[in-house]
Amino acid sequence: MAEILKTDLCIIGAGALGTAMALKARARMLSVVLVQRPGDVPGESARAELQRACLLASADRAQAMRNAGELGLTRADPKPNFRLIGERAAAIADAAAPASAADRLAALGVTVLSEAATFTDPRTLKVGAETVRAGQFVLATGSRAEVPALPGLDQIAYFTPDSILDNVRKLSHLVVIGGSAPAFELAQAYARLGAGVTLVPHGPVLPGFDAELVAILLRALREEGVAILEGAQVTAILPRAQGTGIALAHADGSLATLDVSHVLVASGRVPELDPGLLGAARLKRDPLRPDHLLVNLQGRTSNRHVVAIGGAAGVYDRQTALRQAAIVLQHASGQAGGRIEPQQLVRMVSTTPPLAQIGLSDADGPLRPGQVVLRANASETEAAQATGNLQGSAKLVVAGNGAIAGGAVLGAGAGETVGMLAMAIERGMGVADLAGLLLPPASAAAALHDLAEQFIGQQRPSPWARRWAAIARPWR
């Protein structure tokens, strides 16, 4: 009878998240088996994120060259070289690869198994000739781009947000199908790099984000030349000898066709879940989203021996996925595990201006009694005036006692500003406490001061406070 390999953790999926978790588990002196499935590329998702960041940086620099005259500099017309842009992005991404190399994992004591895997029962995994029993199985199998069922799409070579990062050619007219954050980020980037771009949301526009700030963002992108067809649906892809036709149904019911050179499908992502792997694990599916597992925010599944994190759990932002992994490691180490609270999750659109949001929005429904919405104009801050980044706004949803229920920021430094809000919410700080933040001169987060001062100014002191103030006045 073959010997059973027993381990504290068995991580299925050797992508960026799985390898990072394996290294952190070994640092906690936990025994780890890492299952590298066929097709797993260590660091692949982290590499894609870095490539995308490099592409957006090149696009930002191109736009800065066009707008240099606004800051008293000579304007220049950028001439993007897509081969050099792609080579730079790939080189920077490749430089991070050695951290997850197989030889480093083995040297640190991670047992790496590279054969096909399948569950034989809810707590036993078969990997080639090995049988693995783990205190905790962790699904870190990632996600893939969601591809809508559009007639004709399978007859053309289309891009996804992953595959377009390897493009080294100028695109004459790119149509972007989808209303996700990557759809808007890549649409703006390619427009800044000289392509004609039409964005067809094909459904909701940035669902879950504050509609008021989204409208400002759409206006900013349109001013840069991105054609955004709100309410339109792509009904079919029409392959042609040269180029591609896009059949559209507009919001008013009218029909039209669009001639494009390339197609980017950016409708969102779905978990990478192999039925052959999971068949015997007895994992329930989400009845509202059958392509997702039934999990909570911590990644707990219907099988107490299996946790899903990151893309496998339907979580597509890296920070939340790393937080899920940290909670699993805490439990595996015998420590009290934390929780992920929905109101503390930061959502981000890395356009220019960027949009970041946390917690409750007034677009989510009627506010509770006592809640108010505070607004600040980003163009009124010293940072916006100095840099010329005048498009943006900040909003807070605040309870009557000053508790912060949520916030959204559109403008330069939005991510860092909302990061401060996340820490304030986690530590139970009230909006009035934001007035005491010590910020550097011309900080993009100065809008938080404005919002805090608004709240303080709206508070009426109690009769006792007014009476005490009258007694304490030294000139009386």
Side-chain angles (χ1 to χ4, degrees):
M1 181 176 179
E3 184 177 350
I4 295 177
L5 179 59
K6 296 183 179 180
T7 184
D8 295 321
L9 286 178
C10 178
I11 303 170
I12 305 167
L17 183 59
T19 52
M21 186 177 186
L23 293 173
K24 290 179 180 179
R26 286 301 299 142
R28 289 172 173 258
M29 304 305 295
L30 297 171
S31 58
V32 183
V33 171
L34 179 64
V35 179
Q36 182 171 352
R37 304 169 305 143
D40 278 350
V41 178
E44 183 177 28
S45 60
R47 185 179 190 279
E49 289 180 8
L50 195 48
Q51 278 185 286
R52 184 176 298 116
C54 291
L55 174 67
L56 298 185
S58 295
D60 285 348
R61 189 65 58 87
Q63 192 68 8
M65 293 169 65
R66 293 188 186 94
N67 296 338
E70 298 176 1
L71 299 182
L73 304 173
T74 301
R75 179 189 179 279
D77 186 20
K79 295 178 173 57
N81 184 318
F82 278 86
R83 180 180 63 81
L84 294 179
I85 290 172
E87 287 177 354
R88 172 184 177 271
I92 292 174
D94 289 340
S100 57
D103 54 352
R104 180 168 184 256
L105 292 169
L108 291 173
V110 177
T111 301
V112 181
L113 303 179
S114 301
E115 298 183 73
T118 183
F119 278 94
T120 57
D121 63 50
R123 59 174 309 178
T124 307
L125 186 72
K126 189 78 171 175
V127 187
E130 297 280 359
T131 299
V132 181
R133 279 283 184 97
Q136 188 72 72
F137 289 98
V138 182
L139 288 179
T141 50
S143 62
R144 66 180 187 278
E146 183 176 20
V147 179
L150 292 175
L153 183 60
D154 59 348
Q155 300 176 38
I156 66 167
Y158 58 87
F159 291 121
T160 68
D162 300 326
S163 64
I164 200 170
L165 299 175
D166 296 321
N167 172 59
V168 294
R169 298 175 55 194
K170 180 178 179 179
L171 310 181
S172 56
H173 188 177
L174 175 69
V175 65
V176 181
I177 302 174
S180 64
F184 282 84
E185 295 163 2
L186 292 167
Q188 183 182 45
Y190 270 90
R192 289 180 159 191
L193 293 172
V197 178
T198 300
L199 192 151
V200 185
H202 197 69
V205 176
L206 294 175
F209 284 91
D210 185 278
E212 183 180 335
L213 300 191
V214 167
I216 300 174
L217 175 59
L218 297 190
R219 185 173 68 237
L221 267 60
R222 286 182 172 122
E223 289 174 355
E224 290 190 12
V226 180
I228 303 174
L229 308 182
E230 285 185 82
Q233 295 279 335
V234 177
T235 58
I237 307 296
L238 310 173
R240 294 173 179 165
Q242 290 189 340
T244 301
I246 306 294
L248 297 170
H250 288 285
D252 61 3
S254 62
L255 304 179
T257 57
L258 187 66
D259 294 319
V260 302
S261 62
H262 296 83
V263 175
L264 166 62
V265 179
S267 301
R269 304 192 71 82
V270 292
E272 189 72 72
L273 302 173
D274 180 4
L277 166 67
L278 303 176
R282 297 180 188 171
L283 301 177
K284 293 182 180 179
R285 300 277 181 152
D286 188 331
L288 300 179
R289 301 180 300 170
D291 52 0
H292 288 64
L293 293 176
L294 185 64
V295 295
N296 64 10
L297 274 177
Q298 284 65 242
R300 289 286 169 186
T301 71
S302 55
N303 178 347
R304 66 186 181 90
H305 302 290
V306 180
V307 175
I309 63 174
V315 171
Y316 308 119
D317 69 279
R318 184 167 176 78
Q319 294 308 312
T320 304
L322 290 173
R323 180 66 180 132
Q324 288 179 323
I327 290 173
V328 174
L329 292 177
Q330 286 174 330
H331 281 290
S333 303
Q335 300 173 352
R339 289 185 56 82
I340 298 175
E341 301 296 341
Q343 67 271 23
Q344 295 176 7
L345 297 180
V346 175
R347 290 163 281 171
M348 184 81 187
V349 186
S350 297
T351 46
T352 302
L355 171 59
Q357 184 169 316
I358 186 172
L360 182 68
S361 165
D362 58 343
D364 294 332
L367 298 179
R368 293 180 180 176
Q371 288 182 335
V372 296
V373 178
L374 305 175
R375 290 177 171 82
N377 190 334
S379 66
E380 297 175 355
T381 65
E382 293 178 356
Q385 296 288 342
T387 61
N389 297 317
L390 302 179
Q391 292 175 313
S393 182
K395 297 174 65 174
L396 282 184
V397 178
V398 181
N401 63 355
I404 304 169
V409 178
L410 175 71
E416 292 77 6
T417 302
V418 171
M420 293 181 187
L421 282 178
M423 181 172 291
I425 293 172
E426 183 178 0
R427 296 188 177 186
M429 295 171 61
V431 64
D433 297 320
L434 301 178
L437 288 174
L438 297 178
L439 300 174
S443 169
L448 296 181
H449 278 175
D450 295 343
L451 293 164
E453 294 295 345
Q454 283 184 43
F455 178 80
I456 294 171
Q458 293 174 8
Q459 303 309 298
R460 297 185 60 186
S462 67
W464 168 251
R466 291 197 298 269
R467 190 177 304 115
W468 175 254
I471 295 172
R473 285 173 187 162
W475 59 85
R476 289 288 182 95

